[in-house]
C-alpha cells in the first residue's frame, strides 16, 4: 500500500508563524511537524509516500530529501495551488496511486497510534479513524445508530451529536479518485473530505475504527501547544525509564 501526506494549505490559523515557514515545517517538540505523519506511515510499513505540499515549500527538500533518512523507500512531491480542500489535494495523488489503495494522513496530524493491522487487512471501500475529543465542533462528526453504524457525518456542526471526531487519517480503495471527480465545491469553495466519505457511506462501503493512543491535529495555537507538551512529556518519560 502507498501513503499520501496532505501538507497543502496556507496555515492561516497559525499566522504570524506561517508567514515565514510552511505550517508543516514548524517544530513539534524536537522535530518538524511533517515527520510525525511520516512516522505513522512507516510504522504501518508504508514506505512509498507522496507529499502534497502548498504555500511556502522552502525547506521541504532540505529536510526530507529522498526520504530514506526517515525510513522511507521512495518519496515523491506534488504541489497544490491555493486552498481547494482536502479532496482537491488528494486528487493530485491519482497517478502516484496507480490503482492501488492508499493510506492518507493530514500533515498536521500527530499521533502515536499504530495502524499497521488496519492497513494490512484493508480490502476495499474506505476506512476512517475516529477519536473522542473535547471540541468535536472543529471536525467532521459522525452520528451512529444503536448498533454503532455510522448514519451520517456532519462537517463542523455547531451542536455535535457525538463527541467523536473524524481524524485526518483515512484508507481508501482505488475508487477514491472517481468519487472525487463527482464532488461539487462546498459553500466555502472547497472539495470536502466529509463529502468524499459520504459517497462511501451511501454505497455501504464506509468502515471505521477508534484510533488508539494519542492523537491531535496541530493546526491552531492551542493544539500546537498541546502536541508539543505531549511529545515533550513522552520523551521525558522515556528518559526516566
Amino acid at each position: 500500500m502507498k501513503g499520501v501526506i496532505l501538507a497543502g494549505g496556507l496555515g492561516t490559523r497559525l499566522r504570524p508563524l506561517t508567514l515565514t515557514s510552511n505550517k508543516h515545517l514548524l517544530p513539534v517538540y524536537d522535530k518538524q511537524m511533517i515527520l510525525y505523519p511520516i512516522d505513522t506511515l512507516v510504522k504501518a510499513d508504508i514506505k512509498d509516500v507522496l507529499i502534497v505540499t502548498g504555500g511556502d515549500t522552502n525547506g521541504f527538500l532540505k529536510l526530507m530529501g529522498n526520504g530514506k533518512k526517515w525510513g522511507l523507500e521512495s518519496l515523491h512531491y506534488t504541489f497544490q495551488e491555493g486552498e481547494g480542500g482536502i479532496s482537491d489535494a488528494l486528487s493530485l495523488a491519482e497517478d502516484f496511486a496507480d490503482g492501488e489503495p492508499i493510506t492518507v494522513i493530514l500533515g498536521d496530524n500527530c499521533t502515536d497510534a499504530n495502524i499497521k493491522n488496519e492497513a494490512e487487512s484493508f480490502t476495499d471501500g474506505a476506512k476512517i479513524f475516529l477519536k473522542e475529543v473535547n471540541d468535536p465542533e472543529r471536525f467532521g462528526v459522525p452520528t451512529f445508530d444503536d448498533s454503532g453504524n455510522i448514519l451520517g457525518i456532519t462537517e463542523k456542526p455547531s451542536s455535535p451529536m457525538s463527541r467523536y471526531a473524524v481524524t485526518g487519517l483515512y484508507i481508501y480503495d482505488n475508487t477514491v479518485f472517481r468519487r472525487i471527480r463527482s464532488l461539487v465545491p462546498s459553500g466555502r469553495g472547497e472539495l470536502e473530505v466529509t463529502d468524499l466519505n459520504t459517497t462511501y457511506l451511501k454505497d455501504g462501503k464506509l468502515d471505521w475504527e477508534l484510533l488508539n493512543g494519542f492523537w491531535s491535529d496541530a493546526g491552531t495555537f492551542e493544539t500546537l501547544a498541546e502536541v508539543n507538551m505531549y511529545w515533550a512529556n513522552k520523551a521525558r518519560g522515556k528518559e526516566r525509564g
Side-chain angles (χ1 to χ4, degrees), residues 1 44 101 103 115-124 127 129 171 207 209:
M1 182 179 290
T103 294
I115 62 163
K116 183 176 181 179
N117 290 338
E118 288 82 358
E120 290 182 342
S121 63
F122 180 81
T123 54
D124 68 346
K127 184 181 290 290
F129 293 85
I171 306 178
D207 193 12
E209 296 279 349

Side-chain angles (χ1 to χ4, degrees), residues 1-7 34 37-38 41 46-53 75-76 78 86 89-98 100-107 168-170 172 176-177:
M1 182 179 290
K2 296 181 177 182
V4 178
I5 299 175
L6 302 181
I34 189 71
I38 289 283
L41 296 177
I46 299 169
K47 299 182 180 181
D48 189 3
V49 170
L50 171 72
I51 297 178
V52 181
T53 66
L75 179 61
H76 313 261
T78 191
I86 293 172
L90 180 54
S91 72
L92 301 176
E94 184 168 8
D95 289 341
F96 168 75
D98 196 24
E100 294 185 30
I102 52 173
T103 294
V104 180
I105 184 169
L106 302 189
L169 183 55
Y170 322 89
Y172 294 118
V176 64
F177 301 105

Side-chain angles (χ1 to χ4, degrees), residues 8-9 21 23 62 163 201 234:
S21 174
K23 174 178 74 172
K62 185 175 182 180
R163 302 297 299 177
L201 179 62
K234 187 170 184 175

Side-chain angles (χ1 to χ4, degrees), residues 38-220:
I38 289 283
D39 285 346
T40 299
L41 296 177
V42 170
K43 283 195 301 183
D45 203 28
I46 299 169
K47 299 182 180 181
D48 189 3
V49 170
L50 171 72
I51 297 178
V52 181
T53 66
D56 181 4
T57 61
N58 291 332
F60 268 100
L61 280 173
K62 185 175 182 180
L63 172 68
M64 300 301 304
N66 61 14
K68 296 188 186 301
K69 178 179 179 180
W70 311 109
L72 299 176
E73 295 175 356
S74 182
L75 179 61
H76 313 261
Y77 303 88
T78 191
F79 186 82
Q80 180 190 23
E81 296 182 358
E83 292 187 292
I86 293 172
S87 292
D88 176 68
L90 180 54
S91 72
L92 301 176
E94 184 168 8
D95 289 341
F96 168 75
D98 196 24
E100 294 185 30
I102 52 173
T103 294
V104 180
I105 184 169
L106 302 189
D108 65 358
N109 273 220
C110 299
T111 181
D112 55 10
N114 191 328
I115 62 163
K116 183 176 181 179
N117 290 338
E118 288 82 358
E120 290 182 342
S121 63
F122 180 81
T123 54
D124 68 346
K127 184 181 290 290
I128 61 175
F129 293 85
L130 307 181
K131 189 71 177 178
E132 189 170 6
V133 297
N134 294 324
D135 52 354
E137 64 277 1
R138 290 203 304 119
F139 305 96
V141 177
T143 53
F144 304 93
D145 64 18
D146 293 338
S147 299
N149 301 306
I150 293 179
L151 295 174
I153 303 172
T154 305
E155 182 68 17
K156 297 180 175 63
S158 57
S159 300
M161 297 297 290
S162 76
R163 302 297 299 177
Y164 290 96
V166 178
T167 69
L169 183 55
Y170 322 89
I171 306 178
Y172 294 118
D173 66 10
N174 61 13
T175 70
V176 64
F177 301 105
R178 169 178 59 79
R179 294 172 184 273
I180 290 174
R181 285 191 289 272
S182 73
L183 301 179
V184 297
S186 66
R188 57 180 184 168
E190 298 187 358
L191 298 182
E192 306 287 353
V193 70
T194 291
D195 293 339
L196 173 60
N197 291 333
T198 297
T199 70
Y200 282 99
L201 179 62
K202 289 179 178 178
D203 291 342
K205 293 283 189 177
L206 184 69
D207 193 12
W208 65 272
E209 296 279 349
L210 282 179
L211 196 62
N212 294 318
F214 173 80
W215 172 86
S216 179
D217 73 338
T220 68

